[in-house]
Amino acid sequence: MNKDDLTDLSLLRLDIVAAIGIRDSLPDMIFTAHLMPEGALNLTEIAAPSNIYQFDMDFASFINALEDEMERRRTFAHDKDRERAILISVSSRPRHEQEDSIEELKDLAFSSGLIVLDTAIQRPKEINPRFLLGEGKLKEIIINAMNKGVTMLIFDQGLTPSQIKAIGELTELKVIDRPQLILDIFSQRAHSRDGKVQVELAQLKYRLPRLTGKGTAMSRLMGGIGGRGPGEMKLEIDRRRVRDRISLLERELKKLSEARRQRKQRRINTGIPIVSIIGYTNAGKSTLLNALTRSSTFVGDKMFATLDTASRRLRFPKEREVIITDTVGFIRDLPDDLMAAFRSTLEELEDADLLIHLVDASNPRFEQHMASVEKILANLNLNAKPQLLVFNKTDRLPADEAEFIRMRFNAIAVSALDPSSFRPLLDAIETFIWNSKIAEVTV
Ligand code: GDP
Ligand code: MG
């Protein structure tokens, strides 16, 4: 073995490392350690030290055999294009809250098209400010990640710029946090010019303070998930250009918001009542809008499948109609920057005569989802708007359980997949709109 082999191999990948002891200025013992394939008892194996002059190992064939074995043991489908992630949560919140939150992060990761290979939860007495979690635990996770062929670490907690940098110095893996994952999902889902501008703005604002450092950690961060990032601006971008871009986008947004206001005004002038479907992401808002109006707003089995609001006409008997609009999904712990960016999208709701708060009754966390939606509505000063509480996906529940939940919350139950379940909802909309004062003004 010569020295060059060692440097080549360790640069290539850190599957194996070796250290050579020196005694009396001469090489003495050699120590080697290598990763173990998945499923092995230990994550790494440390070989017995050997005298350098007796050491005889064919590194190239050893490492090839090791990598073949690792590849063979990997449990995921060999989908090379998709990012594979380990989710990490470090928190001193109550355990059930931490577990709920990481479950939700899993849903978000799935929405973003990632494969989640493992989760790691740490509950330290004190949070390590440098890496968020203990250095030993972090290194263990990194080794586990290399064993599994993971490409990305996702933290459930927001990381400060210096934490991202410090963690990036320990690993070549991409490191992102929850807000970035949400932004990434938004960026995949934005369709209109308006939506795209808002998402890019939010991404740039989130990244700007994280652009202070140099080195690979920052360039990886700029790459975003799967190399997606705002436009063509990647590694070479500097803060100045980011700021220029931000002011350009802000000007564009102002123009777009004026156009939106005019569209809205035209709609109000027609005097047709507006009903907006709101609710936690994945509640089934787009599905319900489609089914109600048999239109074809984009529906996906992924969170945030709709980013932009979509409006459709819904006709009732006796020449009556309402405009029904679909909104972007709400989400707990929406980062402030994101909240600001999406406020203008949600401003649409100010013109609604009635909000339909749609809840996925089949989600075990539906009460938390309801609370999150109420909180965001309060932030937008919309909590005084008339609301109909509607439980969706009741087809997934036993009939008596669906009925129990409906009664408990004095709500309406539907299945967006089954138009025969819509009658109570349509009756409630009709009664509300045409028996109330708003109707006297608008009809
Ligand atoms: P949104 O984020 O609230 O707009 O949710 P979507 O309308 O995109 O729906 C999310 C997922 O839930 C999709 O896969 C839908 O097919 C599914 N879904 C929506 N409504 C129902 C329902 O009533 N029953 C069942 N079983 N699935 C539903
Ligand atoms: Mg939707």
Side-chain angles (χ1 to χ4, degrees), residues 247-280:
S247 26
L248 184 90
L249 291 173
E250 275 173 343
R251 283 198 298 277
E252 186 169 350
L253 198 60
K254 242 181 222 144
K255 274 187 238 147
L256 289 168
S257 117
E258 178 57 21
R260 196 171 48 227
R261 201 190 57 74
Q262 288 172 0
R263 268 201 311 276
K264 218 152 60 182
Q265 193 53 47
R266 249 176 275 139
R267 208 153 69 191
I268 293 168
N269 290 344
T270 62
I272 303 177
I274 298 172
V275 177
S276 290
I277 307 177
I278 58 162
Y280 210 74

PDB file of all heavy atoms in Angstrom, residues 247-280:
ATOM      1  N   SER A 247     -35.356  43.186  -4.414  1.00  0.00           N
ATOM      2  CA  SER A 247     -36.105  44.431  -4.655  1.00  0.00           C
ATOM      3  C   SER A 247     -36.841  44.383  -5.992  1.00  0.00           C
ATOM      4  O   SER A 247     -37.946  44.905  -6.114  1.00  0.00           O
ATOM      5  CB  SER A 247     -35.226  45.687  -4.537  1.00  0.00           C
ATOM      6  OG  SER A 247     -33.909  45.410  -4.799  1.00  0.00           O
ATOM      7  N   LEU A 248     -36.224  43.727  -6.982  1.00  0.00           N
ATOM      8  CA  LEU A 248     -36.918  43.566  -8.264  1.00  0.00           C
ATOM      9  C   LEU A 248     -38.231  42.798  -8.097  1.00  0.00           C
ATOM     10  O   LEU A 248     -39.283  43.207  -8.585  1.00  0.00           O
ATOM     11  CB  LEU A 248     -36.003  42.804  -9.241  1.00  0.00           C
ATOM     12  CG  LEU A 248     -36.558  42.633 -10.655  1.00  0.00           C
ATOM     13  CD1 LEU A 248     -36.125  43.818 -11.510  1.00  0.00           C
ATOM     14  CD2 LEU A 248     -36.089  41.321 -11.282  1.00  0.00           C
ATOM     15  N   LEU A 249     -38.148  41.689  -7.356  1.00  0.00           N
ATOM     16  CA  LEU A 249     -39.339  40.858  -7.162  1.00  0.00           C
ATOM     17  C   LEU A 249     -40.396  41.607  -6.354  1.00  0.00           C
ATOM     18  O   LEU A 249     -41.586  41.467  -6.596  1.00  0.00           O
ATOM     19  CB  LEU A 249     -38.968  39.548  -6.466  1.00  0.00           C
ATOM     20  CG  LEU A 249     -38.140  38.564  -7.290  1.00  0.00           C
ATOM     21  CD1 LEU A 249     -37.691  37.384  -6.424  1.00  0.00           C
ATOM     22  CD2 LEU A 249     -38.924  38.049  -8.483  1.00  0.00           C
ATOM     23  N   GLU A 250     -39.931  42.405  -5.387  1.00  0.00           N
ATOM     24  CA  GLU A 250     -40.899  43.149  -4.582  1.00  0.00           C
ATOM     25  C   GLU A 250     -41.663  44.159  -5.436  1.00  0.00           C
ATOM     26  O   GLU A 250     -42.860  44.349  -5.256  1.00  0.00           O
ATOM     27  CB  GLU A 250     -40.206  43.825  -3.394  1.00  0.00           C
ATOM     28  CG  GLU A 250     -40.095  42.845  -2.238  1.00  0.00           C
ATOM     29  CD  GLU A 250     -39.271  43.347  -1.067  1.00  0.00           C
ATOM     30  OE1 GLU A 250     -38.504  44.334  -1.237  1.00  0.00           O
ATOM     31  OE2 GLU A 250     -39.392  42.734   0.017  1.00  0.00           O
ATOM     32  N   ARG A 251     -40.934  44.788  -6.375  1.00  0.00           N
ATOM     33  CA  ARG A 251     -41.626  45.728  -7.283  1.00  0.00           C
ATOM     34  C   ARG A 251     -42.635  44.978  -8.152  1.00  0.00           C
ATOM     35  O   ARG A 251     -43.759  45.428  -8.352  1.00  0.00           O
ATOM     36  CB  ARG A 251     -40.600  46.453  -8.163  1.00  0.00           C
ATOM     37  CG  ARG A 251     -39.859  47.567  -7.436  1.00  0.00           C
ATOM     38  CD  ARG A 251     -39.194  48.534  -8.421  1.00  0.00           C
ATOM     39  NE  ARG A 251     -38.181  47.885  -9.257  1.00  0.00           N
ATOM     40  CZ  ARG A 251     -36.914  47.678  -8.877  1.00  0.00           C
ATOM     41  NH1 ARG A 251     -36.498  48.045  -7.685  1.00  0.00           N
ATOM     42  NH2 ARG A 251     -36.062  47.090  -9.694  1.00  0.00           N
ATOM     43  N   GLU A 252     -42.212  43.820  -8.638  1.00  0.00           N
ATOM     44  CA  GLU A 252     -43.108  43.039  -9.486  1.00  0.00           C
ATOM     45  C   GLU A 252     -44.357  42.605  -8.721  1.00  0.00           C
ATOM     46  O   GLU A 252     -45.478  42.665  -9.232  1.00  0.00           O
ATOM     47  CB  GLU A 252     -42.380  41.798 -10.031  1.00  0.00           C
ATOM     48  CG  GLU A 252     -43.244  41.057 -11.035  1.00  0.00           C
ATOM     49  CD  GLU A 252     -42.484  39.987 -11.810  1.00  0.00           C
ATOM     50  OE1 GLU A 252     -41.237  39.943 -11.717  1.00  0.00           O
ATOM     51  OE2 GLU A 252     -43.158  39.206 -12.503  1.00  0.00           O
ATOM     52  N   LEU A 253     -44.126  42.233  -7.468  1.00  0.00           N
ATOM     53  CA  LEU A 253     -45.248  41.780  -6.647  1.00  0.00           C
ATOM     54  C   LEU A 253     -46.268  42.898  -6.462  1.00  0.00           C
ATOM     55  O   LEU A 253     -47.471  42.669  -6.449  1.00  0.00           O
ATOM     56  CB  LEU A 253     -44.718  41.306  -5.290  1.00  0.00           C
ATOM     57  CG  LEU A 253     -45.658  40.418  -4.486  1.00  0.00           C
ATOM     58  CD1 LEU A 253     -45.996  39.159  -5.249  1.00  0.00           C
ATOM     59  CD2 LEU A 253     -45.012  40.039  -3.145  1.00  0.00           C
ATOM     60  N   LYS A 254     -45.764  44.114  -6.308  1.00  0.00           N
ATOM     61  CA  LYS A 254     -46.668  45.256  -6.132  1.00  0.00           C
ATOM     62  C   LYS A 254     -47.570  45.419  -7.350  1.00  0.00           C
ATOM     63  O   LYS A 254     -48.784  45.630  -7.221  1.00  0.00           O
ATOM     64  CB  LYS A 254     -45.848  46.538  -5.917  1.00  0.00           C
ATOM     65  CG  LYS A 254     -46.127  47.142  -4.546  1.00  0.00           C
ATOM     66  CD  LYS A 254     -45.362  48.420  -4.317  1.00  0.00           C
ATOM     67  CE  LYS A 254     -44.802  48.418  -2.902  1.00  0.00           C
ATOM     68  NZ  LYS A 254     -43.492  49.028  -2.789  1.00  0.00           N
ATOM     69  N   LYS A 255     -46.945  45.303  -8.524  1.00  0.00           N
ATOM     70  CA  LYS A 255     -47.735  45.413  -9.760  1.00  0.00           C
ATOM     71  C   LYS A 255     -48.776  44.298  -9.832  1.00  0.00           C
ATOM     72  O   LYS A 255     -49.927  44.519 -10.173  1.00  0.00           O
ATOM     73  CB  LYS A 255     -46.815  45.323 -10.986  1.00  0.00           C
ATOM     74  CG  LYS A 255     -46.212  46.665 -11.382  1.00  0.00           C
ATOM     75  CD  LYS A 255     -45.450  46.507 -12.697  1.00  0.00           C
ATOM     76  CE  LYS A 255     -43.996  46.921 -12.528  1.00  0.00           C
ATOM     77  NZ  LYS A 255     -43.050  46.182 -13.354  1.00  0.00           N
ATOM     78  N   LEU A 256     -48.322  43.096  -9.519  1.00  0.00           N
ATOM     79  CA  LEU A 256     -49.233  41.950  -9.573  1.00  0.00           C
ATOM     80  C   LEU A 256     -50.374  42.099  -8.576  1.00  0.00           C
ATOM     81  O   LEU A 256     -51.508  41.718  -8.852  1.00  0.00           O
ATOM     82  CB  LEU A 256     -48.467  40.653  -9.284  1.00  0.00           C
ATOM     83  CG  LEU A 256     -47.505  40.176 -10.369  1.00  0.00           C
ATOM     84  CD1 LEU A 256     -46.616  39.063  -9.847  1.00  0.00           C
ATOM     85  CD2 LEU A 256     -48.274  39.702 -11.589  1.00  0.00           C
ATOM     86  N   SER A 257     -50.053  42.666  -7.423  1.00  0.00           N
ATOM     87  CA  SER A 257     -51.090  42.777  -6.406  1.00  0.00           C
ATOM     88  C   SER A 257     -52.138  43.806  -6.816  1.00  0.00           C
ATOM     89  O   SER A 257     -53.320  43.665  -6.521  1.00  0.00           O
ATOM     90  CB  SER A 257     -50.450  43.084  -5.048  1.00  0.00           C
ATOM     91  OG  SER A 257     -50.858  44.321  -4.560  1.00  0.00           O
ATOM     92  N   GLU A 258     -51.715  44.817  -7.564  1.00  0.00           N
ATOM     93  CA  GLU A 258     -52.671  45.789  -8.119  1.00  0.00           C
ATOM     94  C   GLU A 258     -53.609  45.098  -9.116  1.00  0.00           C
ATOM     95  O   GLU A 258     -54.829  45.281  -9.076  1.00  0.00           O
ATOM     96  CB  GLU A 258     -51.893  46.936  -8.786  1.00  0.00           C
ATOM     97  CG  GLU A 258     -52.767  47.982  -9.438  1.00  0.00           C
ATOM     98  CD  GLU A 258     -53.780  48.635  -8.484  1.00  0.00           C
ATOM     99  OE1 GLU A 258     -53.581  48.589  -7.245  1.00  0.00           O
ATOM    100  OE2 GLU A 258     -54.771  49.175  -8.980  1.00  0.00           O
ATOM    101  N   ALA A 259     -53.024  44.266  -9.960  1.00  0.00           N
ATOM    102  CA  ALA A 259     -53.846  43.535 -10.944  1.00  0.00           C
ATOM    103  C   ALA A 259     -54.839  42.625 -10.230  1.00  0.00           C
ATOM    104  O   ALA A 259     -55.991  42.503 -10.633  1.00  0.00           O
ATOM    105  CB  ALA A 259     -52.944  42.711 -11.859  1.00  0.00           C
ATOM    106  N   ARG A 260     -54.361  42.025  -9.152  1.00  0.00           N
ATOM    107  CA  ARG A 260     -55.221  41.113  -8.407  1.00  0.00           C
ATOM    108  C   ARG A 260     -56.387  41.873  -7.776  1.00  0.00           C
ATOM    109  O   ARG A 260     -57.523  41.442  -7.763  1.00  0.00           O
ATOM    110  CB  ARG A 260     -54.403  40.407  -7.325  1.00  0.00           C
ATOM    111  CG  ARG A 260     -55.077  39.194  -6.744  1.00  0.00           C
ATOM    112  CD  ARG A 260     -54.138  38.411  -5.850  1.00  0.00           C
ATOM    113  NE  ARG A 260     -53.468  39.290  -4.920  1.00  0.00           N
ATOM    114  CZ  ARG A 260     -52.165  39.262  -4.678  1.00  0.00           C
ATOM    115  NH1 ARG A 260     -51.403  38.424  -5.281  1.00  0.00           N
ATOM    116  NH2 ARG A 260     -51.639  40.094  -3.816  1.00  0.00           N
ATOM    117  N   ARG A 261     -56.054  43.074  -7.265  1.00  0.00           N
ATOM    118  CA  ARG A 261     -57.079  43.898  -6.633  1.00  0.00           C
ATOM    119  C   ARG A 261     -58.174  44.265  -7.644  1.00  0.00           C
ATOM    120  O   ARG A 261     -59.363  44.224  -7.344  1.00  0.00           O
ATOM    121  CB  ARG A 261     -56.440  45.173  -6.065  1.00  0.00           C
ATOM    122  CG  ARG A 261     -57.253  45.849  -4.975  1.00  0.00           C
ATOM    123  CD  ARG A 261     -56.681  47.221  -4.630  1.00  0.00           C
ATOM    124  NE  ARG A 261     -56.597  48.106  -5.799  1.00  0.00           N
ATOM    125  CZ  ARG A 261     -57.614  48.704  -6.375  1.00  0.00           C
ATOM    126  NH1 ARG A 261     -58.824  48.522  -5.892  1.00  0.00           N
ATOM    127  NH2 ARG A 261     -57.456  49.460  -7.438  1.00  0.00           N
ATOM    128  N   GLN A 262     -57.731  44.585  -8.881  1.00  0.00           N
ATOM    129  CA  GLN A 262     -58.711  44.951  -9.905  1.00  0.00           C
ATOM    130  C   GLN A 262     -59.609  43.779 -10.276  1.00  0.00           C
ATOM    131  O   GLN A 262     -60.814  43.939 -10.458  1.00  0.00           O
ATOM    132  CB  GLN A 262     -58.000  45.480 -11.147  1.00  0.00           C
ATOM    133  CG  GLN A 262     -57.394  46.862 -10.916  1.00  0.00           C
ATOM    134  CD  GLN A 262     -56.533  47.310 -12.079  1.00  0.00           C
ATOM    135  OE1 GLN A 262     -56.381  46.601 -13.069  1.00  0.00           O
ATOM    136  NE2 GLN A 262     -55.947  48.504 -11.945  1.00  0.00           N
ATOM    137  N   ARG A 263     -58.991  42.593 -10.386  1.00  0.00           N
ATOM    138  CA  ARG A 263     -59.777  41.394 -10.680  1.00  0.00           C
ATOM    139  C   ARG A 263     -60.840  41.167  -9.612  1.00  0.00           C
ATOM    140  O   ARG A 263     -61.990  40.876  -9.896  1.00  0.00           O
ATOM    141  CB  ARG A 263     -58.856  40.160 -10.704  1.00  0.00           C
ATOM    142  CG  ARG A 263     -58.300  39.817 -12.071  1.00  0.00           C
ATOM    143  CD  ARG A 263     -57.837  38.346 -12.131  1.00  0.00           C
ATOM    144  NE  ARG A 263     -56.988  37.918 -11.020  1.00  0.00           N
ATOM    145  CZ  ARG A 263     -55.674  38.102 -10.971  1.00  0.00           C
ATOM    146  NH1 ARG A 263     -55.053  38.724 -11.947  1.00  0.00           N
ATOM    147  NH2 ARG A 263     -54.970  37.672  -9.943  1.00  0.00           N
ATOM    148  N   LYS A 264     -60.378  41.345  -8.366  1.00  0.00           N
ATOM    149  CA  LYS A 264     -61.253  41.127  -7.230  1.00  0.00           C
ATOM    150  C   LYS A 264     -62.430  42.113  -7.273  1.00  0.00           C
ATOM    151  O   LYS A 264     -63.575  41.761  -7.065  1.00  0.00           O
ATOM    152  CB  LYS A 264     -60.442  41.359  -5.952  1.00  0.00           C
ATOM    153  CG  LYS A 264     -60.753  40.435  -4.848  1.00  0.00           C
ATOM    154  CD  LYS A 264     -59.546  40.234  -3.931  1.00  0.00           C
ATOM    155  CE  LYS A 264     -59.063  41.521  -3.287  1.00  0.00           C
ATOM    156  NZ  LYS A 264     -57.877  41.311  -2.452  1.00  0.00           N
ATOM    157  N   GLN A 265     -62.086  43.364  -7.583  1.00  0.00           N
ATOM    158  CA  GLN A 265     -63.094  44.423  -7.633  1.00  0.00           C
ATOM    159  C   GLN A 265     -64.169  44.072  -8.662  1.00  0.00           C
ATOM    160  O   GLN A 265     -65.355  44.196  -8.408  1.00  0.00           O
ATOM    161  CB  GLN A 265     -62.426  45.767  -7.980  1.00  0.00           C
ATOM    162  CG  GLN A 265     -63.336  46.968  -7.735  1.00  0.00           C
ATOM    163  CD  GLN A 265     -63.906  46.973  -6.300  1.00  0.00           C
ATOM    164  OE1 GLN A 265     -63.179  46.782  -5.339  1.00  0.00           O
ATOM    165  NE2 GLN A 265     -65.219  47.157  -6.187  1.00  0.00           N
ATOM    166  N   ARG A 266     -63.696  43.598  -9.817  1.00  0.00           N
ATOM    167  CA  ARG A 266     -64.642  43.216 -10.860  1.00  0.00           C
ATOM    168  C   ARG A 266     -65.598  42.137 -10.352  1.00  0.00           C
ATOM    169  O   ARG A 266     -66.779  42.151 -10.625  1.00  0.00           O
ATOM    170  CB  ARG A 266     -63.884  42.707 -12.104  1.00  0.00           C
ATOM    171  CG  ARG A 266     -63.999  43.670 -13.293  1.00  0.00           C
ATOM    172  CD  ARG A 266     -63.159  43.187 -14.453  1.00  0.00           C
ATOM    173  NE  ARG A 266     -61.769  43.640 -14.317  1.00  0.00           N
ATOM    174  CZ  ARG A 266     -60.699  42.894 -14.593  1.00  0.00           C
ATOM    175  NH1 ARG A 266     -60.837  41.656 -15.008  1.00  0.00           N
ATOM    176  NH2 ARG A 266     -59.493  43.394 -14.463  1.00  0.00           N
ATOM    177  N   ARG A 267     -65.012  41.213  -9.590  1.00  0.00           N
ATOM    178  CA  ARG A 267     -65.810  40.114  -9.069  1.00  0.00           C
ATOM    179  C   ARG A 267     -66.847  40.626  -8.060  1.00  0.00           C
ATOM    180  O   ARG A 267     -67.998  40.229  -8.072  1.00  0.00           O
ATOM    181  CB  ARG A 267     -64.891  39.107  -8.399  1.00  0.00           C
ATOM    182  CG  ARG A 267     -65.407  37.724  -8.423  1.00  0.00           C
ATOM    183  CD  ARG A 267     -64.272  36.745  -8.370  1.00  0.00           C
ATOM    184  NE  ARG A 267     -63.639  36.800  -7.043  1.00  0.00           N
ATOM    185  CZ  ARG A 267     -62.490  36.215  -6.765  1.00  0.00           C
ATOM    186  NH1 ARG A 267     -61.822  35.582  -7.695  1.00  0.00           N
ATOM    187  NH2 ARG A 267     -61.990  36.271  -5.559  1.00  0.00           N
ATOM    188  N   ILE A 268     -66.398  41.543  -7.207  1.00  0.00           N
ATOM    189  CA  ILE A 268     -67.322  42.096  -6.219  1.00  0.00           C
ATOM    190  C   ILE A 268     -68.440  42.868  -6.919  1.00  0.00           C
ATOM    191  O   ILE A 268     -69.600  42.791  -6.541  1.00  0.00           O
ATOM    192  CB  ILE A 268     -66.562  42.995  -5.218  1.00  0.00           C
ATOM    193  CG1 ILE A 268     -65.619  42.131  -4.372  1.00  0.00           C
ATOM    194  CG2 ILE A 268     -67.527  43.764  -4.318  1.00  0.00           C
ATOM    195  CD1 ILE A 268     -64.617  42.919  -3.563  1.00  0.00           C
ATOM    196  N   ASN A 269     -68.049  43.577  -7.983  1.00  0.00           N
ATOM    197  CA  ASN A 269     -69.046  44.362  -8.717  1.00  0.00           C
ATOM    198  C   ASN A 269     -70.155  43.501  -9.311  1.00  0.00           C
ATOM    199  O   ASN A 269     -71.277  43.963  -9.483  1.00  0.00           O
ATOM    200  CB  ASN A 269     -68.375  45.161  -9.835  1.00  0.00           C
ATOM    201  CG  ASN A 269     -67.526  46.286  -9.269  1.00  0.00           C
ATOM    202  OD1 ASN A 269     -67.672  46.645  -8.092  1.00  0.00           O
ATOM    203  ND2 ASN A 269     -66.636  46.827 -10.086  1.00  0.00           N
ATOM    204  N   THR A 270     -69.838  42.270  -9.644  1.00  0.00           N
ATOM    205  CA  THR A 270     -70.877  41.408 -10.189  1.00  0.00           C
ATOM    206  C   THR A 270     -71.894  41.033  -9.109  1.00  0.00           C
ATOM    207  O   THR A 270     -72.972  40.534  -9.425  1.00  0.00           O
ATOM    208  CB  THR A 270     -70.306  40.091 -10.769  1.00  0.00           C
ATOM    209  OG1 THR A 270     -69.690  39.377  -9.701  1.00  0.00           O
ATOM    210  CG2 THR A 270     -69.315  40.344 -11.874  1.00  0.00           C
ATOM    211  N   GLY A 271     -71.514  41.223  -7.845  1.00  0.00           N
ATOM    212  CA  GLY A 271     -72.453  40.983  -6.752  1.00  0.00           C
ATOM    213  C   GLY A 271     -72.664  39.521  -6.425  1.00  0.00           C
ATOM    214  O   GLY A 271     -73.555  39.166  -5.667  1.00  0.00           O
ATOM    215  N   ILE A 272     -71.836  38.668  -7.002  1.00  0.00           N
ATOM    216  CA  ILE A 272     -72.003  37.242  -6.697  1.00  0.00           C
ATOM    217  C   ILE A 272     -71.309  36.928  -5.369  1.00  0.00           C
ATOM    218  O   ILE A 272     -70.159  37.307  -5.175  1.00  0.00           O
ATOM    219  CB  ILE A 272     -71.403  36.367  -7.823  1.00  0.00           C
ATOM    220  CG1 ILE A 272     -72.070  36.726  -9.145  1.00  0.00           C
ATOM    221  CG2 ILE A 272     -71.564  34.889  -7.510  1.00  0.00           C
ATOM    222  CD1 ILE A 272     -71.511  35.970 -10.332  1.00  0.00           C
ATOM    223  N   PRO A 273     -72.006  36.257  -4.443  1.00  0.00           N
ATOM    224  CA  PRO A 273     -71.393  35.936  -3.154  1.00  0.00           C
ATOM    225  C   PRO A 273     -70.148  35.058  -3.325  1.00  0.00           C
ATOM    226  O   PRO A 273     -70.082  34.246  -4.246  1.00  0.00           O
ATOM    227  CB  PRO A 273     -72.478  35.161  -2.403  1.00  0.00           C
ATOM    228  CG  PRO A 273     -73.737  35.385  -3.148  1.00  0.00           C
ATOM    229  CD  PRO A 273     -73.384  35.754  -4.545  1.00  0.00           C
ATOM    230  N   ILE A 274     -69.209  35.248  -2.437  1.00  0.00           N
ATOM    231  CA  ILE A 274     -67.964  34.472  -2.512  1.00  0.00           C
ATOM    232  C   ILE A 274     -67.845  33.551  -1.302  1.00  0.00           C
ATOM    233  O   ILE A 274     -67.976  33.981  -0.159  1.00  0.00           O
ATOM    234  CB  ILE A 274     -66.736  35.415  -2.561  1.00  0.00           C
ATOM    235  CG1 ILE A 274     -66.811  36.284  -3.820  1.00  0.00           C
ATOM    236  CG2 ILE A 274     -65.436  34.625  -2.533  1.00  0.00           C
ATOM    237  CD1 ILE A 274     -65.759  37.380  -3.870  1.00  0.00           C
ATOM    238  N   VAL A 275     -67.610  32.275  -1.586  1.00  0.00           N
ATOM    239  CA  VAL A 275     -67.409  31.280  -0.539  1.00  0.00           C
ATOM    240  C   VAL A 275     -65.988  30.749  -0.704  1.00  0.00           C
ATOM    241  O   VAL A 275     -65.615  30.310  -1.786  1.00  0.00           O
ATOM    242  CB  VAL A 275     -68.420  30.111  -0.686  1.00  0.00           C
ATOM    243  CG1 VAL A 275     -68.166  29.050   0.362  1.00  0.00           C
ATOM    244  CG2 VAL A 275     -69.852  30.621  -0.613  1.00  0.00           C
ATOM    245  N   SER A 276     -65.172  30.814   0.341  1.00  0.00           N
ATOM    246  CA  SER A 276     -63.791  30.326   0.226  1.00  0.00           C
ATOM    247  C   SER A 276     -63.585  29.078   1.063  1.00  0.00           C
ATOM    248  O   SER A 276     -63.985  29.033   2.228  1.00  0.00           O
ATOM    249  CB  SER A 276     -62.801  31.396   0.698  1.00  0.00           C
ATOM    250  OG  SER A 276     -62.777  32.460  -0.211  1.00  0.00           O
ATOM    251  N   ILE A 277     -62.963  28.092   0.447  1.00  0.00           N
ATOM    252  CA  ILE A 277     -62.621  26.869   1.190  1.00  0.00           C
ATOM    253  C   ILE A 277     -61.236  27.050   1.795  1.00  0.00           C
ATOM    254  O   ILE A 277     -60.266  27.301   1.071  1.00  0.00           O
ATOM    255  CB  ILE A 277     -62.614  25.629   0.278  1.00  0.00           C
ATOM    256  CG1 ILE A 277     -63.930  25.517  -0.501  1.00  0.00           C
ATOM    257  CG2 ILE A 277     -62.369  24.364   1.099  1.00  0.00           C
ATOM    258  CD1 ILE A 277     -63.960  24.345  -1.479  1.00  0.00           C
ATOM    259  N   ILE A 278     -61.169  26.967   3.108  1.00  0.00           N
ATOM    260  CA  ILE A 278     -59.875  27.061   3.772  1.00  0.00           C
ATOM    261  C   ILE A 278     -59.644  25.764   4.539  1.00  0.00           C
ATOM    262  O   ILE A 278     -60.552  24.948   4.682  1.00  0.00           O
ATOM    263  CB  ILE A 278     -59.822  28.241   4.762  1.00  0.00           C
ATOM    264  CG1 ILE A 278     -60.922  28.085   5.813  1.00  0.00           C
ATOM    265  CG2 ILE A 278     -59.970  29.561   4.025  1.00  0.00           C
ATOM    266  CD1 ILE A 278     -60.686  28.912   7.045  1.00  0.00           C
ATOM    267  N   GLY A 279     -58.428  25.593   5.056  1.00  0.00           N
ATOM    268  CA  GLY A 279     -58.181  24.413   5.867  1.00  0.00           C
ATOM    269  C   GLY A 279     -56.737  24.005   5.812  1.00  0.00           C
ATOM    270  O   GLY A 279     -55.964  24.519   4.997  1.00  0.00           O
ATOM    271  N   TYR A 280     -56.420  23.068   6.677  1.00  0.00           N
ATOM    272  CA  TYR A 280     -55.057  22.596   6.758  1.00  0.00           C
ATOM    273  C   TYR A 280     -54.668  21.954   5.434  1.00  0.00           C
ATOM    274  O   TYR A 280     -55.525  21.470   4.684  1.00  0.00           O
ATOM    275  CB  TYR A 280     -54.929  21.560   7.871  1.00  0.00           C
ATOM    276  CG  TYR A 280     -53.565  21.538   8.496  1.00  0.00           C
ATOM    277  CD1 TYR A 280     -53.172  22.560   9.352  1.00  0.00           C
ATOM    278  CD2 TYR A 280     -52.664  20.513   8.237  1.00  0.00           C
ATOM    279  CE1 TYR A 280     -51.925  22.558   9.930  1.00  0.00           C
ATOM    280  CE2 TYR A 280     -51.412  20.503   8.818  1.00  0.00           C
ATOM    281  CZ  TYR A 280     -51.046  21.527   9.664  1.00  0.00           C
ATOM    282  OH  TYR A 280     -49.801  21.527  10.223  1.00  0.00           O
TER     283      TYR A 280
END
